[in-house]
Amino acid sequence: MSPSSRNAPRPQSAVKNPGSNRGEDVSDSSTEYSIQEVSEMLGIPIQKLRRWDEQGVLVASRTHGGHRRYSRELIDRLAGSALATTSDKATKELATIRKSLAEKRRVIQLLLESENRYRDLVETSHDLIWTTDSYGRFTYLNTAANSIFGVAPKDLIGRCFFDFESGTSHASNRRFLAMLKRDGEIKHYVTRVVTPTGQDRWIGINARVVLDDNGATLGIRGTARDITEEHLATQRIEHLALHDPLTDLPNRLCLQRRIEAALQS
């Protein structure tokens, strides 16, 4: 090669510009976002953004190096819309929660008022209102227990009616329990009790068995009323109907009933 050929200038096309290709792959950050930036701004995973790009949902432009670039104006608009939607959703959820709490407070207030009315009715009732466990032991009695048994309700907790039964009532009380177990409810049952102070009382009982969801007995609840005066008055009327008012001896009607009873037996 001659010296002249070595000193000749190289053709322009053969000169390599190191920065020319790299410059074509550089995006303008003032008008575009990278996929990583969009993922952070919109809270969307990068894999989903790539899939959306392929599906045409949220299309990105490409650099010569294949990197995705998104329009800053579009992404800013989407980010603002997402924030507004999130804010509206949070506001609606908060309003729903407040409405639910207000409704719950109203229901609780109504329940408290109902409970207070019920308690007033129960505690001021002249009838004995009682509940027992599955063994027949008192778990609750209202203040009417004082007039029937002569003791405070708290002193009767854990005891039962049959702790106060008279000797003649034992058999009938067992029949009462058998019928209650069979039928689930008894009305107007009359029995005789003896109070802790030794006084006789005739009481009328209404009772109902309380069952759980499986049909097992949880206890008994009911009412009781002191009918001593009415019962004694009825007995007195029956006695007068069957006895002579002067001699107090059995009259003809009484003798007739006894004869009929003897013939039937």
Side-chain angles (χ1 to χ4, degrees):
M1 183 180 293
S2 64
S4 62
S5 62
R6 287 197 301 268
N7 294 331
R10 297 173 63 183
Q12 184 68 30
S13 61
V15 178
K16 184 177 181 180
N17 186 353
S20 62
N21 291 336
R22 288 195 303 270
E24 293 175 356
D25 199 33
V26 177
S27 65
D28 187 353
S29 61
S30 64
T31 60
E32 294 178 320
Y33 285 122
S34 68
I35 192 170
Q36 290 83 2
E37 292 172 326
V38 173
S39 176
E40 294 177 0
M41 292 177 65
L42 300 183
I44 301 172
I46 291 177
Q47 291 296 335
K48 181 175 285 189
L49 287 174
R50 289 172 179 167
R51 189 164 60 252
W52 283 2
D53 182 24
E54 294 170 357
Q55 296 172 349
V57 177
L58 182 60
V59 180
S61 61
R62 301 293 183 93
T63 65
H64 288 286
H67 300 291
R68 289 177 172 83
R69 293 293 183 267
Y70 294 85
S71 167
R72 177 181 287 271
E73 180 182 357
L74 173 62
I75 298 304
D76 287 344
R77 192 160 61 247
L78 290 175
S81 175
L83 289 175
T85 302
T86 302
S87 177
D88 291 343
K89 183 178 180 181
T91 302
K92 291 179 180 178
E93 290 179 351
L94 183 59
T96 301
I97 292 172
R98 287 176 177 172
K99 183 178 180 180
S100 177
L101 290 175
E103 182 66 19
K104 288 181 179 179
R105 284 195 294 267
R106 189 181 72 84
V107 171
I108 291 173
Q109 183 62 33
L110 290 175
L111 288 174
L112 289 174
E113 292 175 358
S114 177
E115 182 181 358
N116 290 334
R117 286 195 299 268
Y118 174 78
R119 183 182 295 111
D120 290 341
L121 290 172
V122 168
E123 292 301 329
T124 57
S125 173
H126 294 292
D127 289 346
L128 175 64
I129 299 175
W130 51 272
T131 61
T132 74
D133 58 17
S134 58
Y135 296 99
R137 297 172 299 200
F138 288 125
T139 56
Y140 170 80
L141 304 98
N142 66 345
T143 54
N146 283 309
S147 61
I148 293 180
F149 294 103
V151 294
K154 63 182 180 63
D155 297 326
L156 295 171
I157 300 299
R159 305 185 70 178
C160 66
F161 277 116
F162 299 150
D163 290 342
F164 307 96
E165 68 181 1
S166 66
T168 58
S169 301
H170 179 79
S172 61
N173 286 341
R174 295 308 175 273
R175 287 195 298 270
F176 162 76
L177 283 179
M179 289 187 296
L180 183 60
K181 183 177 181 180
R182 182 191 64 199
D183 301 332
E185 184 176 9
I186 294 292
K187 293 184 177 180
H188 311 303
Y189 173 72
V190 177
T191 188
R192 182 184 178 188
V193 299
V194 180
T195 69
T197 58
Q199 294 179 314
D200 281 347
R201 290 280 191 275
W202 289 91
I203 59 175
I205 299 175
N206 296 323
R208 176 179 295 174
V209 176
V210 181
L211 305 175
D212 64 12
D213 294 337
N214 298 319
T217 300
L218 294 176
I220 307 170
R221 61 188 175 197
T223 60
R225 174 178 294 184
D226 184 353
I227 59 170
T228 302
E229 293 184 2
E230 295 91 330
H231 186 78
L232 293 178
T234 301
Q235 286 185 327
R236 180 60 180 167
I237 292 172
E238 291 178 352
H239 180 82
L240 292 174
L242 299 174
H243 293 77
D244 185 272
L246 297 178
T247 63
D248 202 32
L249 294 174
N251 58 19
R252 180 178 299 178
L253 179 60
C254 180
L255 291 175
Q256 182 179 350
R257 286 187 178 181
R258 289 181 180 179
I259 291 173
E260 292 175 353
L263 291 174
Q264 290 177 356
S265 63

